[in-house]
Amino acid sequence: MGGIFETVKGVIENVVYRNEENDYCVIEIVDGDNNLITAVGNMPMPFEGENVTLTGSFTYHKEFGRQFAFESFEKTLPDEIEGIIQYLSSRTVKGIGPVTALKIVNRFGTDTFDVIENHPEWLVDVPGITMKKAAAISESFREQTGLRNVMMFCKDYMDRAEVNRVYKRFGAGAVGMIKENPYILCHEHYGIPFEKADAIARDFGISPESYDRILAGVSYTLTYNAGANGHTCLPFDKLSAASAAILELDEETVGKSISRFIEQEELVCYLHEGTRYVMKREVAECEEYIAYRISEMDKYSARFSTEDIRALIDNVERRFGISYADLQREAIFEALRGSIMILTGGPGTGKTTVVKGLISIFDSIGHRCVLAAPTGRAAKRLSEATGEEAKTIHRLLEMERVVDDVPRFNRDASRPIEENVVIVDEASMIDLNLACALFRAIKRGARLILIGDTDQLPSVGAGNVLADLIASERVRTVCLVEIFRQAKESLIVTNAHRINGGEDPLLNRTDSDFFFVRRENEGELVDTVADLIANRLPRAYGKEIRSEIQVIAPSKKGSGGTLNLNSALQGMLNPPAKFKREVRLHGTVFREGDKVMQTANNYETEWEKNGVTGMGVFNGDIGFIELIDTAKEQMRIRFDDRVAVYSYDMADELELAYAITVHKSQGSEYPVVIIPSFWCAPMLMTRNLLYTAVTRAKRMVVIVGRSDIPSRMVANNLEVMRYTTLGYRIARI
């Protein structure tokens, strides 16, 4: 906007329009000469009765006439009786409407805000206000003013969602803490990019070479690489170069600073074969602890003779009327011989048969077992396969509360898991932090059996725990390779093993459970996927199949990416209707009946299941929106058998889930999987990504798209390396 800037001062008379996502608003203000002026611009949380000072210029809109377009603003709470009444009457503060506002102001006059904030007990003098209601009014007011102050302070640096996160973490004291050290904002728990914290610091005059700034930049580089690439550490030279780019300083200066941080134990360095790996102290402690526990566990586990183990295996074979294959016997043998064992293998190789046998054997000798998995869906699947109860690892560890997004568990070294045997499925999904918590809770003498498929994608969180344990060669590992007869009849299993072995999947069969629909024109891909879900598959297999279908795509972007697919599939499978409420939040329309996914671990989200409450909704959990309450600005979402209530400001952790990425599908299994086959970023067109997608299907796979894409993915066996030191630490024990 050009031209000469003017200043307009007045009181907000009416909020005509407000966009919750970008804070664009249309307001009417009354200036000092009692003129009504329409103003347009970006202002968070405008409320009637507030005093505002706007800077901008008058423009003329062909439909709405003369308007004041403002580029910057200042606003304060009203200090006169009429403004206070107007402010409170606008229902800004929960529990106060026009009638109650008038009563409160008549009683306390211009001291009203001070009374509400600092002396809520005085409000009981007002007819109709109980002590409980007074406390609720005061809490709402303090929250509004605290958030408002943070909004005003951060408005030039952050968007609304980021400000909400900061206020949620720091409360009303956020402004003071940011002024003291702006770089606390880019701590991993608060999710603000380093560049935004750096902009605030620049305005405060903090030196580009200050200790706090360089430490924050280096820490942010480590945090970013942990979240985006799964690294628990970085080689010194790579960390120095990446940090220097973010900090816009020379590598020598940053390198010297990193060495200083290591000397002062702000960071930790691990030397292996001449390479210096740098990591955060808490990460180093996790890796070192896991290595220590693995070395310690074998010292205290109960021992069985070879003859006893063979007898136990023979007995369970007779009990089940089966004969184990050689590798299955070996797996059971190793699980009984030591304290920790890893069982791997692709689909159809009999991992579940081994687990059932182990449960039976341990039960026969009085060793209690507990089954767990990283996600709710994986735990449910394990329970269905074994006939035994399975828990999420978080539930097993009895997660109680969260501090700075870090879960606290009731089960740890001081109060370990009571069972003698802990069996964990989908172990490739376990990241470093969760693995550390699990090892802390394994009691002395207990056994840990980890089951997973190392050919699938690694964990979403930082670390490569299962692969590191195997690579260390210090943990007993058995890999099942034989595909059993019944599994051989499935083309899903056959093609999964072909893909994993570097062979192209068979796409020309029409009489099995694996189908290919050719669409060389990517423009037709979305329509075909939608038609399969809405019409073709229901016609062939019954209407109930619609709820069993999950679209799994390699990428978010592109013609067959989840962003494009979700928009199209929402319109076809859950179109707008008069009886369906909807709301647009963070660029996405959420509608009652929509299929949605949680995109980040949120340990604080409360849920209810059959009258029992719990906490935690995790990355990859899929649910359906049952209700949107526009008055309370809430959504009720059902995740399988758990129901959680989301406020609108939590919607940045949700996305539509008609189509999900392969990474988000890890640990889950779906009756029917549709895989779009289209060109996307080369780093996503890999063998293990296609293998992971195919192995998510239980009954049917349908690949839709270009015929050359599966071959290209199979040929690309490049795996993105994760920098960790866990394997090195275990191997040196």
Side-chain angles (χ1 to χ4, degrees):
M1 183 171 61
I4 301 174
F5 284 167
E6 301 179 56
T7 298
V8 170
K9 295 183 179 181
V11 176
I12 298 179
E13 179 72 17
N14 182 32
V15 178
V16 179
Y17 171 79
R18 179 179 62 179
N19 187 312
E20 292 284 352
E21 294 184 47
N22 58 21
D23 292 325
Y24 177 80
C25 65
V26 179
I27 58 177
E28 293 177 336
I29 67 171
V30 177
D31 66 10
D33 296 326
N34 212 33
N35 296 314
L36 186 66
I37 300 171
T38 299
V40 297
N42 294 86
M43 178 188 294
M45 302 174 66
F47 294 119
E48 294 169 7
E50 286 184 306
N51 298 315
V52 293
T53 301
L54 310 177
T55 301
S57 59
F58 281 99
T59 61
Y60 189 85
H61 191 282
K62 62 180 180 180
E63 183 177 353
F64 301 110
R66 191 169 183 258
Q67 297 178 335
F68 187 79
F70 62 90
E71 285 200 348
S72 63
F73 66 90
E74 296 292 335
K75 60 177 183 172
T76 59
L77 289 174
D79 51 11
E80 297 181 354
I81 295 294
E82 289 185 4
I84 296 172
I85 294 173
Q86 186 179 21
Y87 180 84
L88 294 177
S89 296
S90 65
R91 301 188 185 276
T92 301
V93 180
K94 293 179 181 178
I96 300 180
V99 174
T100 305
L102 187 59
K103 290 179 181 179
I104 293 174
V105 178
N106 283 341
R107 175 67 179 81
F108 299 109
T110 55
D111 294 328
T112 292
F113 291 145
D114 178 63
V115 170
I116 292 175
E117 183 172 9
N118 301 309
H119 307 286
E121 68 276 8
W122 295 358
L123 292 174
V124 297
D125 292 343
V126 177
I129 298 182
T130 63
M131 186 61 74
K132 182 178 180 180
K133 185 174 181 179
I137 289 171
S138 182
E139 181 181 357
S140 175
F141 179 77
R142 285 197 300 269
E143 182 177 331
Q144 286 287 352
T145 54
L147 179 58
R148 178 179 169 281
N149 290 339
V150 178
M151 284 275 190
M152 290 296 296
F153 181 78
C154 299
K155 62 184 173 64
D156 295 329
Y157 307 102
M158 303 178 213
D159 61 33
R160 178 74 175 271
E162 290 170 331
V163 172
N164 281 333
R165 287 202 299 272
V166 170
Y167 180 75
K168 186 177 180 181
R169 293 299 170 199
F170 299 126
V175 173
M177 297 180 73
I178 295 170
K179 286 181 177 179
E180 184 177 340
N181 180 10
Y183 293 107
I184 61 171
L185 293 171
C186 55
H187 190 282
E188 61 189 294
H189 303 313
Y190 312 131
I192 307 301
F194 174 82
E195 293 81 358
K196 294 191 176 183
D198 205 31
I200 298 174
R202 264 197 314 272
D203 287 351
F204 288 175
I206 294 177
S207 168
E209 297 188 13
S210 74
Y211 182 96
D212 285 342
R213 180 175 185 267
I214 297 178
L215 176 60
V218 173
S219 297
Y220 182 76
T221 301
L222 288 169
T223 298
Y224 176 82
N225 276 276
N229 303 313
H231 303 313
T232 65
C233 59
L234 286 176
F236 189 103
D237 292 343
K238 289 184 178 293
L239 176 61
S240 179
S243 301
I246 288 177
L247 292 161
E248 297 182 344
L249 297 173
D250 62 90
E251 285 189 42
E252 183 179 358
T253 298
V254 175
K256 289 179 179 178
S257 295
I258 294 174
S259 296
R260 183 182 173 193
F261 300 148
I262 294 169
E263 290 173 4
Q264 297 185 351
E265 298 184 348
E266 297 276 9
L267 300 174
V268 175
C269 181
Y270 183 91
L271 182 64
H272 177 73
E273 295 183 351
T275 299
R276 292 181 294 169
Y277 295 94
V278 183
M279 66 202 74
K280 293 186 174 182
R281 186 172 59 252
E282 59 269 26
V283 172
E285 290 171 353
C286 277
E287 292 190 332
E288 192 63 29
Y289 181 80
I290 293 172
Y292 158 73
R293 284 289 281 136
I294 288 173
S295 69
E296 182 200 45
M297 286 177 70
D298 263 349
K299 298 177 184 178
Y300 302 101
S301 62
R303 303 289 179 178
F304 298 96
S305 68
T306 299
E307 292 75 17
D308 287 342
I309 295 175
R310 287 173 177 167
L312 289 169
I313 296 175
D314 291 342
N315 287 338
V316 79
E317 283 184 326
R318 285 193 294 271
R319 191 177 307 132
F320 289 154
I322 61 173
S323 179
Y324 290 117
D326 290 345
L327 283 175
Q328 288 179 311
R329 289 183 68 92
E330 181 183 341
I332 296 174
F333 185 92
E334 293 296 345
L336 291 166
R337 190 163 72 95
S339 61
I340 178 170
M341 192 272 286
I342 295 172
L343 176 63
T344 71
T349 55
K351 296 192 296 293
T352 300
T353 302
V354 171
V355 173
K356 287 181 177 179
L358 285 170
I359 293 170
S360 180
I361 288 173
F362 284 125
D363 181 63
S364 71
I365 59 177
H367 285 198
R368 290 187 300 149
C369 296
V370 63
L371 277 60
T375 67
R377 283 179 173 267
K380 184 177 181 181
R381 201 174 88 211
L382 178 61
S383 181
E384 291 170 348
T386 61
E388 303 288 337
E389 181 190 9
K391 306 175 180 179
T392 63
I393 298 176
H394 290 86
R395 182 180 165 211
L396 174 66
L397 299 179
E398 296 181 10
M399 188 189 76
E400 180 184 29
R401 60 192 176 89
V402 178
V403 177
D404 286 343
D405 253 0
V406 178
R408 295 289 183 265
F409 300 106
N410 276 328
R411 295 291 181 179
D412 55 20
S414 64
R415 187 172 174 265
I417 298 166
E418 296 174 359
E419 285 79 6
N420 307 97
V421 183
V422 179
I423 300 175
V424 181
D425 197 12
E426 294 289 354
S428 63
M429 293 182 65
I430 303 175
D431 62 24
L432 180 67
N433 288 330
L434 190 57
C436 187
L438 178 63
F439 273 95
R440 288 188 191 281
I442 302 293
K443 72 178 181 181
R444 180 174 290 184
R447 282 179 165 78
L448 175 63
I449 298 168
L450 300 174
I451 307 160
D453 187 344
T454 53
D455 293 312
Q456 293 181 15
L457 296 171
S459 60
V460 175
N464 203 7
V465 175
L466 185 65
D468 284 346
L469 264 60
I470 295 172
S472 74
E473 299 183 350
R474 297 297 299 271
V475 179
R476 298 173 181 86
T477 302
V478 178
C479 180
L480 303 179
V481 295
E482 180 183 352
I483 306 175
F484 289 93
R485 181 183 59 81
Q486 187 175 359
K488 284 181 179 178
E489 298 173 2
S490 167
L491 195 55
I492 295 175
V493 173
T494 299
N495 276 340
H497 285 273
R498 286 178 66 90
I499 292 166
N500 199 33
E503 298 181 77
D504 289 350
L506 302 173
L507 302 178
N508 56 358
R509 294 268 298 275
T510 59
D511 59 345
S512 187
D513 53 5
F514 197 109
F515 304 96
F516 177 72
V517 180
R518 186 187 305 273
R519 290 292 182 271
E520 299 297 332
N521 180 352
E522 293 188 4
E524 300 174 355
L525 189 150
V526 175
D527 290 339
T528 301
V529 170
D531 188 47
L532 280 166
I533 299 172
N535 302 307
R536 293 173 60 178
L537 290 177
R539 276 200 303 268
Y541 300 98
K543 293 181 180 179
E544 63 277 2
I545 200 172
R546 277 183 59 167
S547 63
E548 300 178 339
I549 300 170
Q550 182 60 59
V551 180
I552 301 178
S555 170
K556 283 188 173 184
K557 301 178 181 178
S559 59
T562 58
L563 294 176
N564 192 35
L565 281 165
N566 273 315
S567 178
L569 294 175
Q570 182 191 45
M572 177 170 282
L573 303 177
N574 189 34
K578 290 182 179 180
F579 60 88
K580 293 180 185 176
R581 281 165 287 198
E582 63 180 55
V583 61
R584 184 177 183 86
L585 300 167
H586 308 290
T588 300
V589 173
F590 294 102
R591 186 175 298 133
E592 289 176 343
D594 272 339
K595 187 178 186 179
V596 294
M597 171 180 278
Q598 174 76 14
T599 61
N601 288 338
N602 190 324
Y603 301 99
E604 297 179 317
T605 300
E606 295 184 1
W607 49 261
E608 184 271 334
K609 174 184 175 182
N610 299 326
V612 178
T613 59
M615 294 179 66
V617 181
F618 303 110
N619 191 354
D621 285 353
I622 290 179
F624 289 86
I625 299 176
E626 290 188 332
L627 175 70
I628 296 176
D629 190 327
T630 53
K632 294 182 179 179
E633 297 189 341
Q634 293 176 341
M635 294 186 286
R636 188 175 72 215
I637 303 174
R638 179 174 294 277
F639 296 94
D640 291 327
D641 50 2
R642 298 169 299 152
V643 177
V645 175
Y646 278 61
S647 61
Y648 281 1
D649 61 5
M650 296 167 63
D652 61 336
E653 296 181 356
L654 292 172
E655 61 184 31
L656 295 177
Y658 298 99
I660 63 175
T661 62
V662 179
H663 287 83
K664 294 292 187 182
S665 73
Q666 287 176 260
S668 297
E669 189 176 68
Y670 310 94
V672 181
V673 168
I674 297 177
I675 304 172
S677 177
F678 65 102
W679 181 263
C680 59
M683 64 183 296
L684 295 173
M685 294 183 62
T686 63
R687 182 185 301 175
N688 68 343
L689 192 138
L690 179 60
Y691 174 77
T692 302
V694 168
T695 54
R696 299 308 88 205
K698 188 175 182 180
R699 295 206 319 261
M700 184 188 304
V701 169
V702 183
I703 296 181
V704 181
R706 288 171 46 175
S707 57
D708 62 318
I709 297 299
S711 296
R712 289 173 179 265
M713 295 180 77
V714 170
N716 182 7
N717 197 29
L718 295 176
E719 296 184 23
V720 178
M721 183 177 65
R722 288 193 168 186
Y723 290 112
T724 76
T725 66
L726 177 60
Y728 307 147
R729 293 175 191 271
I730 298 172
R732 76 171 189 201
I733 297 171

